Amino acid sequence: MNETAQPIQSVVVIENLSFSYNGRPALTDVTAHINHCDFVSIVGPNGGGKTTLLKLMLGLISPARGSIKVFGKSPVKARPEVGYVPQHFHFDTQFPITVKDVVLMGRLCNVSCIGKFKASDKAIAARVLEEVELSHIANRPFSDLSGGQRQRVLIARALATEPKMLLLDEPTAHVDIAAQKDLYDFLEQLNKKLTVVMVTHDIGFVAPFITSVLCVNNTVAMHPTRQITGQIISELYGHEVQFVSHDDSACPHPSNCEHCQSLQREIDIASKRDTETGGDHA
Amino acid sequence: MLEFFEALGSFRFLQYALITGLLASIACGVVGSYVVTRRISYVAGAIAHFILGGMGAAKYLNIVHGWTWLEPLHGAIISAFAAALIIGLVSIKGKQREDTIIGALWAIGMAAGILFISQTPGYNEDLMSYLFGNILMVTTQDIWLIAALDVAVITIAILFYNQLLAVCFDEEFARLRGINVELYYLLLLILTAMTVVLLVTVVGIILVIALMTLPAAIAGHFTKSLGKMMILASGLSLLFTTSGLALSYGPNLPAGATIIIVAGVTYVVTMIFKGVKTRNRIVNK
């Protein structure tokens, strides 16, 4: 999407970053960058450091070594420009709160806006609810919703902060397949205006709109995605598929990157089913 | 029950008891809803029990050292604030296990209170009234202090409603929106401490947790927003204190204990009713 020679604006710049939890290294010597309007998927095994990377981008933790800049600032200073969407199933299901109130939380500030929300804030909340097509359930309790709906409410809350970048933590976990498809379509639309970065547990074939994949397993490898041209594979999976190419990007951990391996396995299986070899993977 | 309403016209102490119940109920519903949704009822319990130390010390200084201006209620306020600050700072600094500190404060406060009271000449009836409430012995001075605490609690709780709601619902997101989560948590604990003091005058130290959490817990079953939960919880709290007071008057039962039993029975009945309803809904599906 952004691989042409347009002037590229870096949104996240990570340089030689290391982080460890009480001496146990979580991320080592990471260098990566995310450009404006990229759609980045962060993948990797559990405990590989995906969440750590996300927390670093949000400034919830600071690196032991190296640097991370978001919109050219420290992550803490950049928070107003970043919309964060946490995992939806971590919430107290008994908490009495309506959909509208959850979304309005995106308009909060520390002390300068005490008391009631302003009409302009309410208008923004109503607009983003419209955007995620949940206006009709604005007054329903958050706890009554399905996983997919809750996820969209949390996206609306993040959008209510009017961000330039959206960070999502496993948005498709505990969401049924149909809702996942809707969610990706919606994120693809959003990606026209803002940068989208999402952690995904295991997405198998990477969706076609993703511009790059960050493989995180203590170290980070950044891969641009390339399109497969196999007609059969498209039919097999019902939509266009892309895969990570390791041939031209120096993956520092080709042997231990589980995600890369599982992708390779899936591609191999797909290739065997089709007598023509699917694509240009080396 | 009828005797109560007949007596209400002629006895000032009953009128005071009713007013105290009303004032305490408003704060109880508002702060109790925060406490229940944020799941910190054990913090409220620790603050309540820690108060005995403050009340005992105040009574001791009052009688033995002649600090006649220092009332047990003053001691309760000071110690409640102290307990809230200690628990809050421990939670924020995170160096110690919070539940250990809660348990320690709970017991240390009780122990200190009993030591002070044992060294204070006079009737041991004081101890009983601290533990189980003395709503029938509220003075004009107490009413003013309770009213002031009430106004403070409600003003803060309404003014910072959105921030406190965010801190209770999703602390991480609140932090990312630039909200000083630690400060608001501390504010919530201070509100809890003030409300505990209010409720101690109604039902006493030991029964506080029930009055703080039961109305909010019942209200939570029937409301879909925190604001509505607060209003309903306040109403229920008022209903429990008033009916408990009225029921206890005729047969000369302890008012605090009667209030808690009324609240407890209502809670159990609601749970059963709710359970049956949910089961029916599942069967109908």
Side-chain angles (χ1 to χ4, degrees), chain A residues 31-185:
Chain A
T31 296
H33 60 93
I34 295 169
N35 295 324
H36 178 63
C37 278
D38 269 359
F39 196 126
V40 180
S41 170
I42 301 177
V43 298
N46 278 333
K50 288 175 297 186
T51 308
T52 307
L53 194 61
L54 202 72
K55 283 185 175 171
L56 283 161
M57 285 191 217
L58 291 165
L60 290 169
I61 47 177
S62 358
R65 256 181 298 128
S67 74
I68 177 163
K69 289 264 183 280
V70 180
F71 295 109
K73 291 172 271 195
S74 76
V76 173
K77 288 216 175 96
R79 278 175 186 171
E81 290 158 63
V82 178
Y84 174 55
V85 183
Q87 298 182 355
H88 68 86
F89 49 88
H90 280 180
F91 289 93
D92 179 356
T93 49
Q94 288 176 29
F95 202 101
I97 189 166
T98 60
V99 167
K100 195 172 68 186
D101 286 342
V102 173
V103 176
L104 269 170
M105 223 167 264
R107 302 305 305 164
L108 265 183
C109 58
N110 195 25
V111 279
S112 49
C113 56
I114 55 169
K116 284 188 153 189
F117 279 110
K118 281 187 268 180
S120 55
D121 291 328
K122 287 181 181 167
I124 290 167
R127 194 197 70 215
V128 293
L129 265 176
E130 188 93 35
E131 244 179 278
V132 297
E133 294 169 2
L134 290 179
S135 299
H136 59 290
I137 56 165
N139 291 315
R140 283 259 302 276
F142 182 67
S143 53
D144 279 8
L145 308 186
S146 70
Q149 285 175 322
R150 276 190 214 176
Q151 196 63 64
R152 280 199 285 166
V153 172
L154 295 177
I155 292 172
R157 179 177 72 166
L159 291 176
T161 68
E162 304 192 304
K164 290 189 201 154
M165 173 168 77
L166 208 55
L167 280 185
L168 303 100
D169 193 359
E170 304 203 6
T172 53
H174 299 244
V175 169
D176 64 66
I177 303 289
Q180 279 184 24
K181 172 98 173 57
D182 288 348
L183 199 69
Y184 281 136
D185 288 347

Side-chain angles (χ1 to χ4, degrees), chain B residues 42 113 119 123-124 134 148 169 171 186 192 203 217 221 236 247:
Chain B
Y42 274 87
Q119 296 308 305
Y123 306 110
N124 273 341
N134 55 354
F169 179 67
E171 199 177 294
L186 212 53
T192 308
V203 291
H221 284 304
L236 285 169
L247 284 170

Side-chain angles (χ1 to χ4, degrees), chain A residues 58 60 79 84 86 91-92 95-98 105-106 108-111 113-115 117 139 141-142 157 161, chain B residues 37 39 158-160 162-163 165-166 168-170 172-173 175-180 184 223-226 229:
Chain A
L58 291 165
L60 290 169
R79 278 175 186 171
Y84 174 55
F91 289 93
D92 179 356
F95 202 101
I97 189 166
T98 60
M105 223 167 264
L108 265 183
C109 58
N110 195 25
V111 279
C113 56
I114 55 169
F117 279 110
N139 291 315
F142 182 67
R157 179 177 72 166
T161 68
Chain B
T37 53
R39 301 184 179 216
I158 291 173
L159 219 48
F160 297 102
N162 291 324
Q163 281 80 1
L165 171 67
C168 289
F169 179 67
D170 187 355
E172 188 178 56
F173 188 82
R175 191 189 305 279
L176 295 175
R177 295 321 304 152
I179 285 169
N180 191 333
Y184 279 104
T223 47
K224 55 180 186 177
S225 80
L226 190 61
M229 180 176 173

Side-chain angles (χ1 to χ4, degrees), chain B residues 1 31 108-109 172 178 220 244 252:
Chain B
M1 193 94 134
V31 178
I108 291 167
E172 188 178 56
N252 198 20

